[in-house]
Structure formats: structure tokens, C-alpha cells
Amino acid sequence: MDLIPGLPNDVGLECLIRVPYNHFSSAASVCRSWKSEIDLPLFRNHRKSAGMSRRIVVMVQSRLDSNMNHGLRKYITTPVYRLSVYEPETGDWDPGNWEASNFVFVYNFVSTTWRRGPDMPGSTRSFFGCASDNDRRVFVGGGHDNEKNALRSGMMYDVADDIWVILPDMADERDECKGAFHRGKFYVIGGYNTSMQGNFGTSAEAFDVSTWRWEKKEDEFLGTDTCPRTCVDGGDDVMYMYQDGVIVALDHSFKTRIPKDLDRVHCVIGCEGRLLAVGSVGFGKSHGVYVLDLKSHTWKKVETPEEYSGHVQSGCCLEI
């Protein structure tokens, strides 16, 4: 069956790959052949090689109550989080409890639906490091259990096969660590052990999938004993983070002050040669978003609608 009646399949495919990603669910519901084509990994590859793929930034962001007085922006009730999507190329935004659980939910951007994945194995964990290899695997390491005991265990979730695989233990316990996929390895950065409780370390460990082993990185990987939550891979083989009003490269090759409009940065997201910085713009005011171009070393302010100015817990960059 032709993708588009009356047209050769290669021409029909050229038409289909030009459908905007946020209309994939509508296109997939047209007929079975379109859905089958869109679901294929080859469709993604063809779309990317034709220059039609788009990078988007996905953030776990608190939903703001429009009826609430934002003067002091204090949340009396537990904030409700959602997925917010920002498109760096167009500047467009699109929307999508604190008790820890082992639940796993997977969002499909093609069907615009959620599904329940298999629960994370083992005890319930919080404040763990997490990162994806940008293919089909999600890695988890460290955090703490329900008794506030720091963990050194790790695991990997294969999204395509829908299974969890247990990794070897790390050398150190790492609570409130940061996960990042860097130079082909899963890094678990900083954190602290049970006895240190809040006194962050500066070291990191990296899991090499090819050897199935952890590698201990230098003790001064972070350079300072600080919370590592803003550590990210910039897409240029360099790790960056926010420290005391400055975005710094962890290899000491670069640093720049944040825009004067920002008081501090709460979340940094790497996106192929750019860093998206989300931070507060003053006490009692909304959060602002700026983009740092790592080639020109220049900042650009992102126009942020009020409904997208809530606190960002975490985020990542995807190519669709």
C-alpha cells in the first residue's frame, strides 16, 4: 500500500518526514501504514539526514496557580509538576508529590501518550543521578533509600526492551549526586555518603558500558565541594556547571558570568553547543531562561510566558 495514493513511496516518505513532530500523533492516526512508518527507527534516521529533525528541551517544571499571589511566590501546598517543552530554534513553549516511589512512566512523543513501565528494582530511592545515552537506555546511580542511607548501587533501563538491568556497585555512596552521559560513559558526580549528610564531595565515577565497569575519576573532578545538580555535558566533550554567579567549564577552559538579570541559576540543560540556564530573576519574582552559545560565548534571553515560569526540577535535550 502506497504511503500517499498516486505517489511513489519515496516521494510519500519525503512528504511524511516533513510533518512537524508535534503533529506525529495526528499523522500516525491517519492509517496503519503511516503509523508503521513513523514508528520505525529508519524514519527517525531519514528525518535527521534530511535536516528535518528538531531539538527540544524537556523540563520537569512546577505548574503555577494563576489564582495565587506571586508576590512572594511561596507554595503553601505541595507543587504539582508537569513536562514543559521549549524549542530553542523557534522560541516556542508547549506544556505537558514529593513522596518517593519506584514507579516508572514513559512518554511517547509520537502518540502523545504515557505508559507504565516496570518499577525500578530494589528499595525506593530518591535524589539519584540519572542520564540517558540518547539512544534507548537510561542509567541510574546513587541516591538514598527510605531510611536516608546513601546508596552506591546503579541500574540501567532499556526503554525498547522495557527491562531493568542491575549494574555493579560504585566504589562510593553518592546521595544527591548528578548523572550525566559524557564521552560515551555514564558519570555519577559528587554527592555524599551516609555519615557526611550534606557535606558534598568533589569526586566522580564513570560507568563504561563496553567493559561493564566503573572508573573512579580524579578526586577534584568538581573543583569545589558543592551541590553538583547543575553539571551538564555541553555537547562539545566538555562538562559545565554553575558556581557562584558563573558558568564554568570543569576542564578550566572557559567561564562566563550569568546575565545580570539572574540572581542565581537553579538548572542548566545542555543542548548541542548551547546551555539553557533557568534561574530566579529576583526575590519573589518568576524564573527566567537564558541560552548561552558556547561558540560565541554570548547570552540570549528567552521570552518566557507566565505559565512556564515555575521552578524547574530537571531537564534534558531531545532530538525528534
Side-chain angles (χ1 to χ4, degrees):
M1 180 178 177
D2 295 337
L3 287 174
I4 300 178
L7 291 178
N9 263 357
D10 57 343
V11 177
L13 180 59
E14 288 299 318
C15 296
L16 198 58
I17 64 173
R18 284 162 171 75
V19 174
Y21 77 89
N22 52 340
H23 292 295
F24 279 174
S25 60
S26 299
S29 65
V30 169
C31 60
R32 290 183 179 179
S33 61
W34 282 24
K35 183 180 186 304
S36 297
E37 189 66 40
I38 291 173
D39 284 341
L40 289 174
L42 285 177
F43 178 80
R44 181 182 65 179
N45 296 338
H46 194 163
R47 185 175 160 85
K48 184 174 182 177
S49 63
M52 302 306 298
S53 63
R54 293 293 179 267
R55 292 192 178 275
I56 62 173
V57 174
V58 183
M59 292 170 278
V60 180
Q61 187 176 46
S62 63
R63 184 189 299 273
L64 293 183
D65 184 351
S66 59
N67 298 317
M68 189 179 77
N69 182 354
H70 299 304
L72 294 180
R73 300 185 70 82
K74 290 184 178 180
Y75 294 97
I76 299 174
T77 58
T78 302
V80 176
Y81 284 87
R82 63 175 179 178
L83 292 185
S84 293
V85 175
Y86 170 67
E87 300 180 26
E89 295 180 13
T90 64
D92 291 338
W93 292 83
D94 187 23
N97 69 47
W98 288 102
E99 181 180 356
S101 75
N102 283 351
F103 296 164
V104 173
F105 294 91
V106 181
Y107 185 74
N108 188 319
F109 279 90
V110 174
S111 62
T112 64
T113 56
W114 289 93
R115 69 171 173 86
R116 176 76 180 269
D119 291 353
M120 290 177 64
S123 62
T124 300
R125 72 174 67 206
S126 307
F127 293 92
F128 50 82
C130 180
S132 170
D133 64 356
N134 293 321
D135 184 12
R136 55 185 282 175
R137 296 174 294 192
V138 178
F139 295 83
V140 170
H144 67 247
D145 62 18
N146 284 335
E147 302 299 322
K148 304 298 182 184
N149 296 308
L151 302 172
R152 57 164 53 97
S153 57
M155 60 190 75
M156 178 190 73
Y157 175 52
D158 188 310
V159 180
D161 289 343
D162 206 28
I163 58 172
W164 285 96
V165 178
I166 303 300
L167 305 182
D169 284 352
M170 295 182 288
D172 298 325
E173 299 173 341
R174 296 184 181 274
D175 194 6
E176 291 197 53
C177 52
K178 178 63 186 289
F181 211 80
H182 177 61
R183 296 181 178 177
K185 299 176 183 179
F186 171 51
Y187 278 65
V188 181
I189 304 164
Y192 49 83
N193 60 34
T194 304
S195 62
M196 295 300 287
Q197 282 302 320
N199 294 316
F200 288 94
T202 61
S203 66
E205 298 181 53
F207 184 73
D208 189 331
V209 180
S210 63
T211 62
W212 208 250
R213 295 178 62 183
W214 289 97
E215 303 170 358
K216 185 71 178 289
K217 297 302 176 181
E218 62 269 21
D219 289 338
E220 298 300 319
F221 183 83
L222 284 177
T224 181
D225 50 352
T226 185
C227 176
R229 64 176 297 178
T230 59
C231 284
V232 294
D233 183 297
D236 54 358
D237 282 340
V238 178
M239 293 281 286
Y240 299 86
M241 76 175 297
Y242 167 78
Q243 293 179 348
D244 300 325
V246 178
I247 298 292
V248 300
L250 295 185
D251 65 357
H252 309 293
S253 62
F254 166 77
K255 67 178 181 180
T256 184
R257 294 203 64 82
I258 61 174
K260 59 183 180 180
D261 290 352
L262 292 178
D263 282 353
R264 60 179 291 114
V265 171
H266 304 288
C267 180
V268 179
I269 303 167
C271 191
E272 203 64 25
R274 289 171 289 184
L275 298 181
L276 196 82
V278 184
S280 53
V281 294
F283 178 73
K285 296 184 179 179
S286 60
H287 285 71
V289 181
Y290 280 82
V291 174
L292 172 64
D293 188 308
L294 294 174
K295 290 184 178 179
S296 64
H297 299 167
T298 56
W299 288 98
K300 179 182 178 181
K301 185 175 183 179
V302 175
E303 294 302 322
T304 310
E306 175 69 15
E307 62 180 309
Y308 298 105
S309 61
H311 173 73
V312 174
Q313 187 74 12
S314 62
C316 65
C317 181
L318 305 177
E319 184 172 10
I320 298 182

